[in-house]
Amino acid sequence: MAHPAAALPKNIHILNGSNDLAMSSGRYVMAIYNPTAGQITVDLTGAITTYQTDAYKQNDSEVTGIPIPAGGTIYGRFTNVGCATANVICYTN
């Protein structure tokens, strides 16, 4: 089993509410934390599977409007994160 220090995201990015965080070169957003007092919505691109016509399939386009409640965290492997609310924290590898 890997040491926890090697498994946890090491970098954070605090979104400004205007610009998407776009990752490349094998880097990903691993967790998105909402420190604000209200629910936010994020737009994500990455390892997301959605139901399409007849089965669950990899969705290669942006998925919009995913809610994160106040104090909540969403985990995954995302290549792009957009949010119109400032101070949302993204943890990256």
Side-chain angles (χ1 to χ4, degrees), residues 2-91:
H3 188 275
L8 299 173
K10 297 175 176 43
N11 304 302
I12 67 169
H13 299 271
I14 300 173
L15 301 184
N16 65 5
S18 299
N19 302 98
D20 286 8
L21 175 60
M23 307 304 291
S24 61
S25 302
R27 297 195 57 211
Y28 299 97
V29 174
M30 308 302 285
I32 305 161
Y33 169 61
N34 174 12
T36 68
Q39 177 176 295
I40 61 159
T41 57
V42 292
D43 301 332
L44 302 172
T45 305
I48 302 170
T49 302
T50 57
Y51 193 81
Q52 301 174 26
T53 310
D54 60 349
Y56 285 97
K57 299 177 184 174
Q58 177 73 31
N59 185 339
D60 295 323
S61 59
E62 183 177 63
V63 176
T64 61
I66 296 176
I68 303 176
T73 303
I74 186 170
Y75 298 91
R77 193 180 74 177
F78 310 111
T79 54
N80 193 81
V81 177
C83 183
T85 304
N87 299 320
V88 172
I89 299 172
C90 293
Y91 294 87

